[in-house]
Every structure is written in structure tokens, then in C-alpha cells.
Amino acid sequence: MSEVMISIRNLQKHYGDLVVLKGIDLDVRRGEKVVVLGPSGSGKSTMLRCVNALEDADGGTITIDGVEITDRKTNINKVREHLGMVFQRFNLWPHKTVLENVMLGQMVVSGKSEAEARKRAMETLTRVGLADKADQYPVRLSGGQQQRVGIARALAMDPKAILFDEPTSALDPELVGEVLAVMKSLADEGMTMIVVTHEIGFAKEVADRVIFMDGGVIVEQGCPNDVLVNPKEERTRAFLKRVL
């Protein structure tokens, strides 16, 4: 895990007078599982959206696998081909079947043929336990199943890394486990992952490194035991008291 895959330097983001990110520095190594914790409004989801260029950075640089995505000349769609994103609200196309949802990005972004995309979609749906739902529409699925479709869609692009933006926060408690189980299996297979979440148990079990953000800065980071069991910073301790 010595090779840096995602490098963030002095990342800044503001909306008018509201400064959301105040100079974030972060390296994520290939195969590393990084869990990002923090209160609402801490900037953690904005950071993730900047990494995927869903938000434009107002300062600093982001480099992914040697390509600086904050450079205006970079073809961001080529970078996104290998960077999966799983959203809090699933972001599935309601008028398309589960299979079509997983096929679409492969055909539009990667230029795969329909047959190639279908084959890969069925492979990833099988991997998340939903091959039998391929012809259903999202509205017919539970929230947990919809989120697993979102993960299958990300996997279908053969990503080098996957970004998870609070993937379980919109789910009923009884559905959280099935999504975390899929994420744990990806972690076990060596997928590079940045996970913004409030799931402390997942962080303890899966993360190589835990980052605590508050007020647009990284307050503390380290191995799960250091940050979650023996935090150094008062802001970290106060947050953990509220969520544990």
C-alpha cells in the first residue's frame, strides 16, 4: 500500500461567503480503506464530491492515479471511468430497469457495446446478490436493494477506487447490514475506498485509517483504534460521545 492513488493538496471550497473546505491535505494509497467521520456541515461530503469533480474546487489540487483532475485541460470523463461513486440517495434512473441502470454508464462513458455492458452488469448484480432483480424497476426494490444496485453500477465500470457518500444514511436500520456486508466484501478484495459515513462499527472493522473532519478541516486522523478509542482532540471526543 505504498503507492499514493489519490492526492489532495490544500483543497478549498466555498459557496459565497460560506467557506466549506479550508485547505484539506490527504493522500489515499492504492488498496487503502479510508473512513471519513464528522458532524453535518463539516465538509466531508463536499470533499468527496470534489474528488469526483461533481463540485469544482476553488483552490488546491486533486490528483488521481497521476492525473490532476483540477487542471481545466483534464478530460474528467476519462478519469471518472475508473472512479466509482455511490450516493446517499441511490441516484438510480426510475424509468429504467435495474439491469439498464447498471448498463448505462458502461455504454455512455466507456463506449461498451450493449452485449458487453449487459454481461458485465449481470456479473456485478450477481456479486451484490441481485441478479434475480435485473428486470425490476427501482421503485419495486427496498432501499437496501437500491443501494446495492448503486454499488453494482459503480463496480461495472471496473473502478480503481470507489467513493461512498453516506451510503447507509437514507436506509431504515434493518437494511443497513446488507449494504455494509457488500462494502466489507469489497474491502476484503482490496478495493481502494473513501467512505463518508456515521457507521462507527464499520469504521472499526474495515478502515485502515479514520479521518475526523469538523469545520472544513481535518481535525484528527490515524488508525481506527487511535481515533475512535483514544482520540487526542477534544472535538473528536465530543463528536464520538454524541454518536456512540
Side-chain angles (χ1 to χ4, degrees):
M1 283 206 317
S2 60
E3 184 185 354
V4 173
M5 185 177 181
I6 299 171
S7 182
I8 301 170
R9 286 290 172 273
N10 194 30
L11 178 62
Q12 300 163 49
K13 179 67 184 176
H14 56 78
Y15 302 102
D17 293 334
L18 178 64
V19 181
V20 182
L21 297 175
K22 302 174 181 175
I24 299 291
D25 290 314
L26 177 65
D27 286 337
V28 178
R29 300 183 184 284
R30 195 176 302 279
E32 191 176 18
K33 273 66 70 177
V34 175
V35 170
V36 185
L37 304 173
S40 296
S42 60
K44 53 194 189 300
S45 290
T46 301
M47 178 184 73
L48 211 60
R49 292 174 68 83
C50 287
V51 172
N52 202 34
L54 294 170
E55 301 272 5
D56 290 328
D58 293 316
T61 60
I62 302 170
T63 305
I64 299 174
D65 219 20
V67 178
E68 186 188 322
I69 67 162
T70 38
D71 184 335
R72 299 288 181 194
K73 297 189 290 290
T74 297
N75 181 348
I76 195 61
N77 285 329
K78 292 300 292 180
V79 177
R80 280 202 191 116
E81 279 188 44
H82 303 293
L83 190 65
M85 183 87 178
V86 177
F87 298 90
Q88 179 178 353
R89 296 280 171 186
F90 322 135
N91 287 27
L92 302 178
W93 296 104
H95 59 291
K96 294 188 178 295
T97 66
V98 163
L99 183 64
E100 289 167 341
N101 265 282
V102 181
M103 290 171 62
L104 190 63
Q106 299 178 69
M107 295 164 67
V108 172
V109 179
S110 300
K112 286 185 181 177
S113 70
E114 185 174 344
E116 287 175 312
R118 181 181 299 273
K119 180 174 183 291
R120 181 63 180 148
M122 286 306 300
E123 288 170 358
T124 60
L125 285 170
T126 299
R127 190 168 169 186
V128 301
L130 289 175
D132 60 328
K133 303 292 185 185
D135 296 324
Q136 299 275 7
Y137 287 88
V139 71
R140 302 292 302 276
L141 305 183
S142 71
Q145 290 170 330
Q146 289 186 60
Q147 193 58 291
R148 285 191 280 152
V149 174
I151 295 172
R153 176 180 57 190
L155 285 173
M157 303 296 287
D158 296 313
K160 296 174 181 176
I162 302 183
L163 313 175
F164 294 84
D165 188 9
E166 303 205 23
T168 60
S169 63
L171 301 178
D172 292 330
E174 68 271 17
L175 302 176
V176 168
E178 66 189 67
V179 173
L180 293 181
V182 172
M183 292 169 64
K184 285 173 186 169
S185 72
L186 293 179
D188 290 343
E189 291 165 19
M191 177 64 71
T192 307
M193 299 163 67
I194 305 179
V195 184
V196 170
T197 186
H198 289 296
E199 299 290 341
I200 303 295
F202 176 83
K204 285 180 178 175
E205 188 175 344
V206 173
D208 297 307
R209 184 159 38 122
V210 172
I211 289 167
F212 175 68
M213 286 182 65
D214 193 15
V217 299
I218 293 176
V219 175
E220 185 166 0
Q221 62 178 303
C223 71
N225 192 64
D226 287 347
V227 176
L228 299 174
V229 181
N230 297 300
K232 295 183 179 69
E233 301 295 329
E234 179 54 40
R235 275 195 282 178
T236 314
R237 288 195 289 270
F239 171 77
L240 292 170
K241 271 183 195 165
R242 289 199 303 273
V243 299
L244 290 176

